[in-house]
């Protein structure tokens, strides 16, 4: 995470890197800029490399639409225009957004998310604190908020565990169908 000032406004950058070596080696890097105080997305750049092929994408978030980033030389989606009836959050930084919420017993939030470049436009997703649980961590058991969502796909409930002390996401379990589950964990 990095902070800077642009036009007198504080901005925050989140960088992500995904390395995969499962069936075929791939690398995805993401750079997202936000308004520092609100997490309102400004821009999103994604570069994916797999099997010698490189795909560059760039997006600009405005309060009423998401467009392709015209100034990003190799971007494949410069002509993208997705209308949004209300400002939307960047789905590729959903965990960072969820970690900033005031989680508590019974808390619920309907968040308007858009996955940059996705075929589905912006949509609201319901995230609920459904209880508490302790899960093992490197120093012992960690007390967590348990948060669930179905990502608007009834029957496919994803579960998240956020540490109560830090609000860091420690684990996510998301069903893919056919008995498959994606598990993300924070490694300390």
């Amino acid at each position: 995470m990095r902070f800077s000032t642009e036009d007198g406004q504080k901005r925050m950058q989140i960088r992500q890197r995904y390395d995969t070596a499962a069936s075929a080696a791939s690398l995805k890097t993401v750079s997202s800029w936000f308004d520092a105080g609100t997490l309102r997305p400004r821009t999103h750049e994604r570069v994916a490399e797999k099997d010698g092929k490189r795909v560059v994408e760039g997006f600009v978030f405005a309060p009423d639409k998401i467009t392709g980033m015209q100034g990003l030389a190799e971007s494949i989606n410069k002509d993208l225009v997705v209308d949004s009836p209300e400002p939307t959050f960047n789905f590729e930084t959903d965990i960072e957004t969820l970690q900033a919420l005031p989680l508590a017993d019974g808390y619920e939030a309907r968040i308007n998310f858009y996955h940059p470049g996705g075929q589905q436009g912006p949509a609201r997703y319901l995230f609920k604190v459904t209880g508490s649980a302790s899960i093992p961590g490197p120093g012992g058991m960690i007390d967590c908020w348990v948060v669930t969502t179905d990502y608007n796909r009834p029957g496919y409930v994803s579960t998240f565990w956020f540490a109560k002390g830090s609000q860091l996401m420690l684990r996510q379990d998301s069903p893919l169908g056919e008995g498959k589950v994606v598990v993300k964990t924070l490694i300390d």
Side-chain angles (χ1 to χ4, degrees), residues 9-145:
Q9 301 294 314
K10 286 197 80 162
R11 303 278 192 251
M12 176 179 67
Q13 180 186 37
I14 296 175
R15 294 183 195 166
Q16 301 170 344
R17 178 184 169 119
Y18 302 90
D19 293 281
T20 306
S23 58
S26 67
L27 171 65
K28 179 171 76 168
T29 56
V30 177
S31 173
S32 306
W33 281 97
F34 304 85
D35 289 342
T38 62
L39 273 179
R40 180 173 103 55
R42 308 291 292 187
T43 61
H44 182 80
E45 295 178 34
R46 180 174 50 227
V47 179
E49 299 178 50
K50 184 176 181 180
D51 298 329
K53 184 178 177 188
R54 177 180 160 97
V55 178
V56 177
E57 298 174 278
F59 307 88
V60 177
F61 283 77
D64 62 342
K65 64 186 170 192
I66 301 94
T67 58
M69 189 180 291
Q70 297 295 314
L72 186 58
E74 298 175 65
S75 182
I76 63 168
N77 55 1
K78 290 181 182 185
D79 296 331
L80 176 84
V81 177
V82 176
D83 291 327
S84 184
E86 63 182 314
T88 185
F89 287 95
N90 181 346
F91 224 145
E92 281 206 55
T93 55
D94 60 335
I95 300 308
E96 292 81 359
T97 304
L98 295 173
Q99 290 176 156
L101 297 176
L103 302 177
D105 283 323
Y107 180 81
E108 294 184 4
R110 284 195 180 276
I111 303 172
N112 188 34
F113 274 123
Y114 172 67
H115 186 275
Q119 296 198 347
Q120 180 179 336
R124 286 194 164 267
Y125 298 87
L126 177 62
F127 295 86
K128 296 187 215 180
V129 174
T130 58
S132 296
S134 292
I135 63 173
M141 298 303 284
I142 300 171
D143 197 20
C144 296
W145 294 115

